[in-house]
Amino acid sequence: MRPIDLRSDTVTVPTPEMRRAMYEAEVGDDVYGEDPTVNRLEELAAEILGKEAALFVVSGTQGNQVAILTHTRRGDEVICEAEAHVYFYEVGAIAALAGCQVRPIPGHRGMPAPEAVAAAIRPKNVHFPRTGLICLENTHNRAGGTVLPQDQVEAVCAIAHQHGIPVHLDGARLFNAAVAQGRTARELAAPFDSVMVCLSKGLGAPVGSILAGRRDFIEEARRMRKLLGGGMRQAGVLAAAGIVALTTMVDRLAEDHANARRLAEGIAQIPGLAVDLETVQTNMVFFDITDPRWDASRLVAALEAAGVRCNAVGPRRIRWVTHKDVTAADCDRALAILQETLKAGPTSAGLGPVYG
Ligand SMILES: *Cc1c(COP(=O)(O)O)cnc(C)c1O
């Protein structure tokens, strides 16, 4: 039987419609601005996100870091939530590429309090770095795919703008946040100066993300993308799948959210596990192992052997992510396998190293 892959929504494969669009894509050299399919994707994405212009980038990481490079100067401070992807998972790029330092602010379910952000903004002083940028993340990955309260988002953006500081939205899963609230991505992105969204996560495209913002910002971002080696040539082959992703794959995210809820409610019934149902707001389920016989790395290895793939995100914490290639029946099977595996207890044979 094929394994049920709950490691991430990045493991999705392109739909037949994407494959067809890729095969048929009209292309040109995008560094010359001559790829009609890339141009169409960028116009469509700008429209959907309510910004003047957009840029097709290789990955979410590249989109975020291009945005940070474009907004800041060397020596600036970037304020973000303490477990934000830009800080936690991007290889130190804020320091290594933009030459900025990070001011991490602990948040509640991924949202730093507006007062805490206000307090972290640097006053003008010869000793201090300049606060060059504030970043928020919606949905927030490490908080469990949680949706940021939009009133607090607006409060942070208003404070930033009073100080003349731009705000960037890491919206790798912004469409999940939108669908979960019955709002549009455009509304959620409205208070921000720039926004990055991933096409290759829940939306199922094979490659690519979008950075959107004002026209002059995107013009400079295009130079920064080139600096990072992200100037692509006949990229219309990839952009074609991105167009299908944006036009056909957003509404169905509701299915992934229903499946995550189904998993979470099942996990809540299994002795030896604990899940905070309030954090299960989109397509992720984070759960903790309370059964003392197990730790996360052993359980991940045992589940892998039984046909369920997933990741440990802490010594006793596991993450399950739903996506278009996981059905409700797969979720029921994953729950049954989880329950049986846990009950059987760990055997010493064939299990991977203990999580360090
Ligand atoms: C995945 C992710 C990114 C980076 O996207 P890649 O395409 O993997 O580089 C950025 N931010 C968040 C919140 C993510 O989950």
Side-chain angles (χ1 to χ4, degrees), residues 233-262:
R233 302 298 181 176
Q234 286 72 35
V237 171
L238 301 172
I243 292 170
V244 176
L246 285 176
T247 51
T248 70
M249 300 297 284
V250 172
D251 293 342
R252 64 150 307 286
L253 292 173
E255 286 173 43
D256 300 343
H257 299 178
N259 282 337
R261 173 70 23 200
R262 188 185 190 98

Side-chain angles (χ1 to χ4, degrees), residues 79-84 103-114 116-117 140:
I79 295 175
C80 67
E81 199 278 331
E83 300 209 10
R103 185 83 175 270
I105 310 281
H108 174 67
R109 293 186 185 147
M111 183 71 217
V117 173
H140 194 288

Side-chain angles (χ1 to χ4, degrees), residues 8-10 58-64 83-86 89-90 136-142 170-173 196 198-201 207-209 284 319:
S8 177
D9 46 10
T10 57
V58 169
S59 64
T61 300
Q62 188 179 66
N64 282 334
E83 300 209 10
H85 196 284
V86 291
Y89 286 126
E90 299 189 7
L136 295 178
E137 182 176 317
N138 199 11
T139 61
H140 194 288
N141 186 336
R142 280 190 60 85
D170 176 353
R173 296 187 180 82
M196 186 283 290
C198 286
L199 305 172
S200 62
K201 291 191 168 165
V207 175
S209 293
M284 292 186 183
R319 185 183 84 162

